[in-house]
């Protein structure tokens, strides 16, 4: 799988340059709630949409990952997967049949075949869309077996 971060309705729908970041006719966004972006002055900005995932996945890290609770009053779990090179997903913790996922840190995770279909014009320094391999493993390397259900 590849992790992907993107913004802008034109990228998703192919406006402007005439190319879409997603393959034509793809129904990937069915797993997301799509909303409007409202500016401070109350006007809807038609250039952007909000994407609210129906399922959120967790990118895991190695043994040096940071985890714990925020405090006695909140009780929420915090987690920072480290080091960068060891980040991975855990098989069985997400629906592998989907080609597009969202993470808790607002990144998109896409399957390799979808990444390869995204036009090269969107994979430039100007658009800042980057990808890196994100292996799917059977066991977590961070030593945390059961992730708490309460997250920020």
């Amino acid at each position: 799988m590849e992790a992907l971060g993107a913004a802008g309705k034109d990228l998703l729908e192919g406006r402007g340059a005439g190319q879409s970041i997603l393959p034509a006719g793809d129904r990937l966004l069915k797993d997301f709630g799509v909303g409007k972006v409202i500016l401070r002055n109350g006007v809807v900005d038609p250039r952007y949409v909000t994407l609210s995932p129906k399922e959120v996945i967790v990118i895991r890290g190695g043994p040096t990952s940071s985890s714990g609770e925020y405090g006695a009053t909140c009780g929420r779990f915090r987690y920072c997967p480290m080091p960068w090179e060891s980040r991975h997903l855990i098989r069985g913790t997400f629906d592998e049949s989907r080609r597009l996922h969202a993470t808790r840190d607002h990144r998109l995770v896409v399957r390799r075949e979808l990444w390869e279909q995204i036009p090269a014009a969107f994979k430039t320094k100007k658009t800042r869309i980057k990808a890196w391999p994100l292996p799917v493993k059977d066991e977590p390397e961070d030593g945390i077996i059961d992730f708490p259900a309460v997250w920020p």
Side-chain angles (χ1 to χ4, degrees), residues 8-30:
K9 194 171 182 179
D10 58 336
L11 293 177
L12 296 173
E13 295 180 350
R15 294 187 190 173
Q19 286 185 308
S20 171
I21 192 169
L22 300 176
D26 209 313
R27 300 284 182 230
L28 293 173
L29 295 181
K30 71 180 181 340

Side-chain angles (χ1 to χ4, degrees), residues 88-122:
H88 58 281
L89 300 174
I90 303 299
R91 191 174 320 283
T93 62
F94 64 100
D95 183 352
E96 290 188 54
S97 68
R98 291 184 183 166
R99 298 191 312 148
L100 180 68
H101 299 274
T103 67
R104 294 192 182 277
D105 61 351
H106 310 290
R107 297 181 188 273
L108 296 178
V109 177
V110 300
R111 291 175 64 123
R112 181 174 298 279
E113 62 268 17
L114 175 60
W115 174 252
E116 291 169 354
Q117 293 175 28
I118 295 173
F122 293 110

